[in-house]
Amino acid sequence: MYKSSYPKTFPENFLWGGATAANQIEGAWNIDGKSLSTAEVVRKSEDRHQMSMDDVTRESLKNALLDQTDQYYPKRRGIDFYHRYKEDIKLFAEMGFKVFRFSMAWSRIFPTGEDEKPNEAGLNFYDCVLSELEKYNIEPLVTLSHYEMPIALTEKYNGWSKRQTITAFNLFTGTVFKRFKGRVRYWLTFNEINTGTWGFHETGAIDGNLSKQDQLQIRYQCLHHQFVASAIATKQLREIDPKAKIGCMLARMQTYPSTPNPKDVRAAQLEDEKNLFFTDVQARGEYPEYMNRYLAENNVEIKMENDDQNIISKYTVDFVSFSYYMTTVTEADGKEQANGNMATGGRNPYLKESDWGWQIDPIGLRITLNAMWDRYRKPLFIVENGIGALDKLDKGRIHDSYRIDYLRQHIEQMKEAISDGVDLMGYTMWGPIDLISFSTSEMSKRYGFIYVDQDDSGKGTLDRIKKDSFYWFKKVIASNGEDLS
Ligand code: BG6
């Protein structure tokens, strides 16, 4: 429809806030009936920058189950949010958060995944968290599975590789939808579902001993089961709490061609399709043709049951959410690698990198927002964005101007995208409080507005300290994104 003007500010009800995950903040891994989750059996690598999240074998799992400490498993200790959630939420409220994204640990509520009754202590914890958020009018945005599942489901079904896990997941989702009906308006099913192509951390399936071909087969099969489980959860939510909304969540990584050579442009398009495939299924309701070709050419055959395609097409998501950290570059032949936690790609000579080698590309966020809006025409939600950095305590203060610069540049581009016509619901910056890194299990890779006094070995007072960015973000929210100075 033609209009003679365009939006120049963030919408009035824009959801500003921060995002976290249970296994990176809660701790309390072995109390109040909680069982171990898949995230809590991943051993921290000795090399501090080394990613270890998919290095789980049958042998390492056995050792992890025998080890009753958190020494090598920092995700077991998190930052003790379990006992300090009141203090932390108060700080979020002080910044003016409109929304707080967190995940409910499946293993806290269904310790074996198939328990006859949910664990009341687990449900009660989230009751308390929600009450605290309600006290400050902070909207909860809840992820149902953020890179974790009860370890019993890995032992019994090799994670998502068996259909029984669909039933277990929907037992969990139906339970929390009923319990928290009317209190949670926004839900997400699987965090960064596309990273299931990387293995264990997302699929819960141990497959390191398999050939590349068998890994491809098992991972796409796991992901198919997740598509079905996600669609069933959507159906449940519409029946139980029709006013609530549910979204999918993608680790979005726009791929640029390294040159205008059509071969490179096509290579970039294929990479992009492999990334968007997941949202195509969850938002449009079908396996796209390009993916049918890709899977067939790679000898992957998805086993489906009769009703799968039907349920996937009937229960698509209400909104599309994604994380945005970086973009990548591809060329048809050969690649120079840059880092990332779940994808690597070519280096882009026009971009700077973070301390961990992640390429920083604020304009890429505008490009991404426009492309996603064009493709799906569903409201978009940026549910992760931020920079991991080595913060230094300087006489009790943290002067993190690099974090402010990073966030400012991304928010400026969000505003441009809104002016371009994109329907953007909100922005939850990743890790508003320092937490355990997903990919490296380090504490010293810090994202927060709030510093947590804990080092990589778990030592520290756990005191919370406001960084310079804390005051800056408070101003951003108070001015609804107008004051970025
Ligand atoms: C996203 C994950 O991929 O990136 C988060 O959803 C994660 O769980 C975040 O923490 C940042 O990655 P990392 O490895 O720096 O913690």
Side-chain angles (χ1 to χ4, degrees):
M1 194 212 312
Y2 173 72
K3 288 186 199 150
S4 58
S5 65
Y6 61 91
K8 295 188 182 64
T9 55
F10 284 90
E12 224 173 90
N13 51 357
F14 192 75
L15 293 166
W16 296 98
T20 61
N23 64 75
Q24 294 174 264
I25 59 170
E26 284 182 5
W29 59 283
N30 57 355
I31 63 170
D32 294 342
K34 185 185 177 304
S35 69
L36 273 176
S37 77
T38 43
E40 292 153 345
V41 300
V42 176
R43 194 181 158 109
K44 184 180 186 311
S45 135
E46 297 305 322
D47 171 357
R48 60 183 303 254
H49 280 183
Q50 184 66 42
M51 300 183 273
S52 60
M53 73 267 187
D54 293 319
D55 298 344
V56 176
T57 61
R58 292 272 158 209
E59 189 61 24
S60 78
L61 175 58
K62 218 163 83 191
N63 294 334
L65 296 177
L66 287 172
D67 189 339
Q68 289 298 304
T69 72
D70 61 18
Q71 189 182 353
Y72 301 111
Y73 306 95
K75 287 183 187 136
R76 295 182 182 182
R77 60 175 169 263
I79 53 160
D80 199 28
F81 178 79
Y82 192 76
H83 297 110
R84 292 165 193 256
Y85 66 93
K86 287 191 181 170
E87 183 190 345
D88 294 343
I89 291 173
K90 191 166 177 223
L91 287 166
F92 300 153
E94 192 183 326
M95 269 188 282
F97 274 25
K98 311 275 182 226
V99 62
F100 174 50
R101 176 179 173 222
F102 62 101
S103 68
M104 292 186 177
W106 183 357
S107 56
R108 206 176 272 298
I109 296 173
F110 284 96
T112 71
E114 297 180 304
D115 313 70
E116 257 178 47
K117 278 199 201 141
N119 173 29
E120 182 51 36
L123 288 169
N124 181 52
F125 170 63
Y126 296 112
D127 254 329
C128 296
V129 170
L130 290 176
S131 300
E132 209 56 26
L133 293 172
E134 283 155 5
K135 197 160 126 188
Y136 300 107
N137 284 323
I138 300 177
E139 194 85 60
L141 165 61
V142 178
T143 316
L144 290 153
S145 177
H146 192 125
Y147 291 163
E148 60 107 11
M149 67 198 316
I151 199 63
L153 295 176
T154 288
E155 293 180 285
K156 207 162 163 193
Y157 303 125
N158 206 17
W160 280 98
S161 41
K162 297 269 166 27
R163 290 190 77 93
Q164 284 91 329
T165 301
I166 302 178
T167 313
F169 181 71
N170 294 129
L171 170 68
F172 164 58
T173 54
T175 302
V176 294
F177 291 159
K178 279 190 204 130
R179 173 73 169 229
F180 303 119
K181 178 179 170 164
R183 299 179 75 192
V184 178
R185 274 210 293 169
Y186 303 107
W187 297 90
L188 301 175
T189 48
F190 297 101
N191 181 63
E192 298 187 332
I193 187 167
N194 52 310
T195 70
T197 55
W198 280 64
F200 179 78
H201 75 273
E202 207 279 336
T203 62
I206 297 176
D207 62 13
N209 54 330
L210 302 179
S211 66
K212 290 272 170 257
Q213 178 62 44
D214 288 346
Q215 280 179 354
L216 206 60
Q217 174 65 43
I218 197 173
R219 290 176 190 178
Y220 277 105
Q221 187 64 53
C222 284
L223 285 159
H224 175 70
H225 293 154
Q226 288 177 268
F227 290 146
V228 175
S230 179
I232 295 175
T234 305
K235 177 173 188 286
Q236 290 173 317
L237 188 67
R238 299 219 165 115
E239 287 163 5
I240 297 169
D241 195 358
K243 284 198 187 132
K245 304 271 180 229
I246 196 157
C248 54
M249 179 355 183
L250 181 80
R252 177 64 184 134
M253 239 157 302
Q254 172 94 33
T255 304
Y256 301 136
S258 58
T259 73
N261 181 335
K263 280 186 183 171
D264 292 332
V265 176
R266 171 57 201 154
Q269 185 180 42
L270 178 62
E271 279 311 302
D272 240 17
E273 287 175 343
K274 277 159 51 191
N275 182 236
L276 289 166
F277 154 59
F278 303 84
T279 313
D280 281 358
V281 174
Q282 293 183 286
R284 290 169 153 178
E286 58 182 12
Y287 273 62
E289 300 297 340
Y290 64 79
M291 207 58 192
N292 293 339
R293 174 174 180 176
Y294 173 82
L295 294 172
E297 281 182 351
N298 285 280
N299 300 314
V300 174
E301 199 184 326
I302 311 279
K303 290 182 198 64
M304 297 199 188
E305 286 196 355
N306 284 343
D307 207 32
D308 286 5
Q309 305 238 36
N310 181 33
I311 188 136
I312 285 173
S313 78
K314 208 157 158 200
Y315 297 101
T316 54
V317 292
D318 299 308
F319 64 96
V320 169
S321 85
F322 62 94
S323 61
Y324 180 84
Y325 292 95
M326 66 192 94
T327 48
T328 66
V329 177
T330 279
E331 53 193 354
D333 313 304
K335 279 188 203 168
E336 200 211 327
Q337 298 289 305
N339 288 337
N341 65 352
M342 74 297 283
T344 53
R347 251 172 230 290
N348 186 331
Y350 299 97
L351 301 179
K352 292 202 177 109
E353 293 178 353
S354 76
D355 290 344
W356 273 259
W358 295 20
Q359 303 189 106
I360 302 170
D361 183 8
I363 295 176
L365 178 56
R366 178 178 179 185
I367 297 170
T368 295
L369 283 163
N370 272 288
M372 300 278 279
W373 171 242
D374 264 0
R375 196 174 181 105
Y376 301 116
R377 293 279 149 180
K378 294 199 179 199
L380 304 180
F381 205 144
I382 301 167
V383 294
E384 285 186 35
N385 171 241
I387 184 164
L390 291 163
D391 291 338
K392 278 200 193 72
L393 253 182
D394 175 11
K395 299 187 191 107
R397 302 280 306 272
I398 296 100
H399 304 297
D400 55 344
S401 53
Y402 39 89
R403 180 165 293 109
I404 295 175
D405 287 345
Y406 176 100
L407 296 173
R408 178 192 296 117
Q409 288 164 18
H410 284 81
I411 294 173
E412 278 166 1
Q413 295 301 321
M414 275 156 51
K415 199 170 162 192
E416 291 293 344
I418 288 170
S419 292
D420 295 335
V422 171
D423 181 356
L424 184 61
M425 297 164 67
Y427 174 76
T428 55
M429 167 272 193
W430 176 254
I433 182 162
D434 294 345
L435 37 69
I436 306 289
S437 157
F438 148 65
S439 55
T440 67
S441 289
E442 287 166 286
M443 186 68 215
S444 49
K445 188 180 189 187
R446 296 174 184 274
Y447 283 84
F449 299 122
I450 303 162
Y451 184 90
V452 175
D453 180 26
Q454 177 172 247
D455 68 12
D456 286 336
S457 63
K459 292 201 191 76
T461 60
L462 286 172
D463 282 353
R464 282 36 179 167
I465 302 165
K466 297 169 197 170
K467 304 182 193 175
D468 287 357
S469 58
F470 180 100
Y471 303 98
W472 174 81
F473 200 53
K474 184 175 174 172
K475 221 170 45 175
V476 172
I477 299 180
S479 64
N480 198 24
E482 289 306 303
D483 186 355
L484 301 177
S485 61

